[in-house]
Amino acid sequence: MHGLLVDDQTRCEHYQGPLDVIALKFACCGEWYPCHLCHAERADHETRQWSTKDRATQAVLCGVCGSLLRIDAYLEKSECPTCAAGFNPGCRLHHDLYFD
């Protein structure tokens, strides 16, 4: 996990709320970051979005239980299908940064 983590549930210095518990594998580098701001600060390249044809890729990590989610499953859910940890609904505002 890359970025500026503040706890073991993938919260970072940018997003520290109780529902900020996911990390994303970035399409551009295959590396895991808790948020787009951590990627921008730590990576030496531009972000590339996952294309719609890649929706079956496991690219979302639940920081509570460690389960990997497919992109399509994550986009359809508001909580982890394994442990029921809620996901921050505000993250939907940033989906265009990660996914086509």
Side-chain angles (χ1 to χ4, degrees):
M1 183 71 56
H2 301 281
L4 306 166
L5 292 175
V6 296
D7 73 12
D8 61 355
Q9 292 188 335
T10 73
R11 290 179 189 90
C12 66
E13 75 171 17
H14 306 107
Y15 299 101
Q16 300 176 23
L19 300 179
D20 292 318
V21 294
I22 65 151
L24 296 141
K25 183 186 219 180
F26 277 69
C28 48
C29 57
E31 300 291 339
W32 292 90
Y33 288 87
C35 78
H36 63 100
L37 297 171
C38 285
H39 183 273
E41 291 175 2
R42 299 291 174 141
D44 61 357
H45 56 271
E46 293 293 317
T47 301
R48 183 173 50 87
Q49 299 165 312
W50 289 101
S51 74
T52 54
K53 67 179 174 56
D54 294 322
R55 294 283 168 96
T57 303
Q58 289 185 318
V60 181
L61 171 76
C62 174
V64 175
C65 70
S67 291
L68 292 175
L69 286 75
R70 291 170 35 146
I71 294 168
D72 55 1
Y74 168 70
L75 293 173
E76 295 171 0
K77 304 288 183 185
S78 60
E79 63 183 30
C80 177
T82 303
C83 72
F87 298 147
N88 186 338
C91 290
R92 294 192 182 281
L93 300 172
H94 301 135
H95 282 179
D96 64 318
L97 299 173
Y98 308 107
F99 315 113
D100 265 344

